[in-house]
Amino acid sequence: MLSQPSHINILAIESSCDDTAAAVLQNGNVLSNVVSSQLIHELYGGVVPELASRAHQQSIVPVVELALKKSGLNLNQLQAIAFTKGPGLIGSLMVGSSFAKSLAYALNIPLIGVHHMEAHVLAHFIPEPKPSFPFLCLTVSGGHTQIVRMDDYFSFEIIGKTIDDAAGEAFDKSAKLLGLPYPGGPLIDKYAQAGKVSFKFSQPQIPDLDFSFSGLKTNILYFLQKEVKQNENFVSENLPDICASIQDAIIKHLMKKLIIASDQTGIKNIALAGGVSANSGLRNAILQTGIEKQWQTFIPPFEFCTDNAAMVGITAHYKFLAQQFEPADTAPLARF
Ligand code: KG4
Ligand code: ZN
């Protein structure tokens, strides 16, 4: 039997999409958490995969060096290297995984592969208070929208998911219709804070705990086309109210399913994860509903909501404890 080191120091790398991130954790505590976001994609209104992988190649060494420097540790003090194995853009994942593999090989320490969405959920185990099992996690990002029932760190069931677009996509595509730059989610949130819900969009009618956002997007498109025909300045004159109305429609759909999930399972420990959990309206809705429904709600601090490597590190910490390591010939997976 291997003796456990007195400290579990893990360097974690996240490169699944357009953020190059590295973090160092000691015994599950975050010593450093560095994120370099790629601004180049703004020019194209969305993430361009080839440009994303090139930018990861340029950023990965300085980002890892900075994370190590901020942590106060050096490479020889690490017990494992963790990386995002998938899902994500394959070229982006290749940069992070190749880097992690080479470093683990050179240092002769284990490699830990982490599922990106699992990492978003387990980000709840970075700050206090940590949720107790079982809990439900509404996981909302640019690529996923799920309700996950978590029974243990690595024992979970996806009990609801989107059948088309993700919630983040709904925000970003709506923003694009309004002429806002990518990624539009945070901008809709910003404008919505100065607006009121004045326009009504149809609510998706999807059975069970599943979600759908594509109909809402079409509804918004037709609404804007009709209004702009009558007044070409409609968008600029009403931007905050339009944003507040779009945000409200997305949040209502998310909250409706989350409430049903809690009622059906009887679980009142409710967590929010993924990039869209940075949305102020969604945060408020969960907190308010939580008070009414006597939920215990868990919303991670902002820096652990959007893509970051600390969430990969905390997942890797529990994998280290469970001795779940990755073979040296591992390869990333776009779909995982
Ligand atoms: O988890 P994440 O950083 O990356 C993925 O794994 O997809 O999520 C990114 C998504 C984008 O769609 C972005 O627009 C959205 O999260 N997002 C927001 C906000 N901040 C980020 N959406 C609405 N309001 C926000 N404040
Ligand atoms: Zn993500």
Side-chain angles (χ1 to χ4, degrees):
M1 168 120 178
L2 287 174
S3 62
Q4 289 279 353
S6 57
H7 287 304
I8 303 173
N9 298 328
I10 296 177
L11 167 68
I13 293 163
E14 150 65 32
S15 71
S16 63
C17 190
D18 58 343
D19 294 305
T20 316
V24 178
L25 280 80
Q26 181 167 75
N27 302 331
N29 297 310
V30 177
L31 299 183
S32 64
N33 187 29
V34 176
V35 183
S36 165
S37 297
Q38 304 174 359
L39 303 178
I40 179 96
H41 306 290
E42 260 181 41
L43 294 174
Y44 301 91
V47 177
V48 183
E50 179 58 25
L51 294 180
S53 23
R54 287 188 205 184
H56 281 304
Q57 279 179 333
Q58 285 176 335
S59 311
I60 193 136
V61 172
V63 164
V64 167
E65 277 180 351
L66 186 58
L68 276 168
K69 190 170 171 212
K70 286 188 166 185
S71 75
L73 300 184
N74 62 51
L75 285 174
N76 294 321
Q77 291 172 287
L78 299 175
Q79 268 73 45
I81 309 288
F83 69 101
T84 301
K85 187 172 172 181
L89 299 172
I90 194 66
S92 295
L93 291 166
M94 288 291 284
V95 178
S97 66
S98 311
F99 188 91
K101 276 161 75 171
S102 318
L103 197 53
Y105 183 74
L107 296 171
N108 196 22
I109 56 176
L111 191 60
I112 302 175
V114 169
H115 189 290
H116 182 81
M117 297 312 292
E118 212 166 283
H120 270 303
V121 178
L122 293 182
H124 286 96
F125 292 89
I126 300 172
E128 294 291 348
K130 299 177 169 67
S132 51
F133 298 106
F135 66 91
L136 296 180
C137 189
L138 175 66
T139 312
V140 273
S141 74
H144 291 77
T145 297
Q146 302 172 336
I147 299 176
V148 189
R149 180 196 163 113
M150 295 293 296
D151 287 305
D152 205 341
Y153 297 107
F154 302 113
S155 167
F156 59 86
E157 189 189 347
I158 297 169
I159 59 174
K161 61 182 181 322
T162 181
I163 60 162
D164 42 54
D165 290 351
E169 250 176 310
F171 271 106
D172 295 339
K173 288 179 176 172
S174 305
K176 204 169 182 176
L177 295 175
L178 297 172
L180 298 173
Y182 178 87
L187 291 170
I188 293 208
D189 188 1
K190 189 182 126 199
Y191 287 113
Q193 288 177 39
K196 55 184 189 314
V197 180
S198 320
F199 308 108
K200 203 167 159 42
F201 300 113
S202 59
Q203 274 293 302
Q205 301 299 324
I206 297 295
D208 306 321
L209 296 174
D210 288 338
F211 302 92
S212 166
F213 290 100
S214 66
L216 181 63
K217 183 186 62 195
T218 314
N219 191 209
I220 293 167
L221 172 68
Y222 289 161
F223 164 80
L224 290 175
Q225 283 175 343
K226 190 176 118 239
E227 295 294 339
V228 169
K229 220 179 238 172
Q230 288 161 17
N231 170 12
E232 61 177 3
N233 297 322
F234 176 76
V235 171
S236 57
E237 285 171 8
N238 296 281
L239 193 56
D241 289 357
I242 301 171
C243 288
S245 307
I246 292 172
Q247 180 166 299
D248 181 69
I250 295 172
I251 292 173
K252 274 212 173 86
H253 186 42
L254 293 170
M255 290 307 299
K256 181 180 161 194
K257 298 299 176 124
L258 187 57
I259 291 168
I260 298 173
S262 170
D263 289 348
Q264 277 180 1
T265 58
I267 297 173
K268 285 175 177 281
N269 282 341
I270 307 289
L272 179 62
V276 181
S277 58
N279 183 269
S280 58
L282 182 57
R283 285 173 170 249
N284 284 339
I286 290 212
L287 290 174
Q288 278 310 317
T289 308
I291 294 167
E292 286 157 28
K293 297 263 174 194
Q294 294 180 320
W295 289 349
Q296 201 172 353
T297 46
F298 300 88
I299 305 179
F302 199 77
E303 64 171 318
F304 304 132
C305 287
T306 47
D307 285 351
N308 67 89
M311 68 183 193
V312 177
I314 193 73
T315 308
H317 176 78
Y318 291 109
K319 285 197 151 197
F320 189 98
L321 294 176
Q323 301 277 289
Q324 291 180 20
F325 301 121
E326 202 67 26
D329 62 352
T330 184
L333 298 165
R335 292 177 182 273
F336 190 12

